[in-house]
Amino acid sequence: MSDKFSIYDSPFSDETKVLRRNSLLLSGICLFIGLTGELPSKLALLGVSFTTSQQGIIGWFLLAVLAYFFLHFISNAAVEVAKWIHPFFKIVSAKKIMLTRYSHAFDETDFANIPDEVNEQDKNDMQADALSAADWEITNKLSWLYRMIYLKLIIEIVVPVTLGLWAMIQLLVLIASH
């Protein structure tokens, strides 16, 4: 987590940007299919054709893949946005703590230019305490975003393993039956 906040920095990692792009592309395809009301009968990327009665399978497949990419993007993005805005809210909260809890030592002018005073070490200790309290406070306020890590873990580990095993078993059953 960075100690500096800038609105001009992107909150997203390269991985999340790729997930966002893939989610948007697949969303566009699914939206086009939904708006036209026509399920495709062939997956051109894979070169697989389906009969009219099997077109529903393509629809469910596309929906499942879209849900996967969408949830994966949301889980990554939530955690990264929380990390991105955390330093900003930490400073705002620390200033509020210093102005309320330590009002005898700080006032608004201290944040523009802290003068050299006799109790500078005390002010530094109070500021460190306020920053620590602010960090804890903001972490708690953003906890709902940080909890998206569990969704991310499910999407990144459980879903691929489960789908991979399910697909291998289904393919094995199909191959064994022929």
Side-chain angles (χ1 to χ4, degrees), residues 105-124 127:
F106 291 97
D107 62 20
E108 280 292 334
T109 60
D110 288 324
F111 297 101
N113 183 17
I114 298 178
D116 294 324
E117 292 187 10
V118 180
N119 296 327
E120 194 63 36
Q121 182 58 40
D122 289 339
K123 280 189 174 184
N124 289 337
Q127 183 180 16

Side-chain angles (χ1 to χ4, degrees), residues 32-175:
F32 178 77
I33 291 170
L35 291 175
T36 61
E38 294 291 324
L39 285 170
S41 59
K42 183 176 183 179
L43 289 175
L45 292 175
L46 302 174
V48 178
S49 296
F50 293 90
T51 64
T52 306
S53 63
Q54 294 174 320
Q55 283 180 313
I57 294 171
I58 293 176
W60 284 108
F61 175 76
L62 288 173
L63 180 65
V65 173
L66 173 61
Y68 173 81
F69 277 114
F70 178 75
L71 291 174
H72 198 168
F73 167 69
I74 292 296
S75 65
N76 277 24
V79 172
E80 290 177 7
V81 166
K83 286 180 180 179
W84 180 59
I85 62 176
H86 188 109
F88 172 76
F89 286 119
K90 178 181 172 183
I91 296 299
V92 170
S93 183
K95 180 179 175 184
K96 182 177 143 190
I97 290 167
M98 286 186 275
L99 288 173
T100 56
R101 189 182 298 173
Y102 304 113
S103 60
H104 62 280
F106 291 97
D107 62 20
E108 280 292 334
T109 60
D110 288 324
F111 297 101
N113 183 17
I114 298 178
D116 294 324
E117 292 187 10
V118 180
N119 296 327
E120 194 63 36
Q121 182 58 40
D122 289 339
K123 280 189 174 184
N124 289 337
D125 291 343
M126 287 182 239
Q127 183 180 16
D129 180 52
L131 284 170
S132 175
D135 189 41
W136 181 82
E137 181 181 308
I138 297 305
T139 299
N140 284 336
K141 283 183 180 178
L142 298 175
S143 66
W144 67 276
L145 286 173
Y146 283 117
R147 274 183 266 170
M148 293 297 266
I149 191 70
Y150 298 113
L151 178 60
K152 181 179 177 175
L153 291 173
I154 289 171
I155 289 172
E156 288 186 352
I157 298 169
V158 175
V159 170
V161 169
T162 304
L163 286 177
L165 288 172
W166 184 25
M168 285 186 279
I169 291 169
Q170 290 295 322
L171 190 57
L172 182 63
V173 168
L174 180 65
I175 291 170

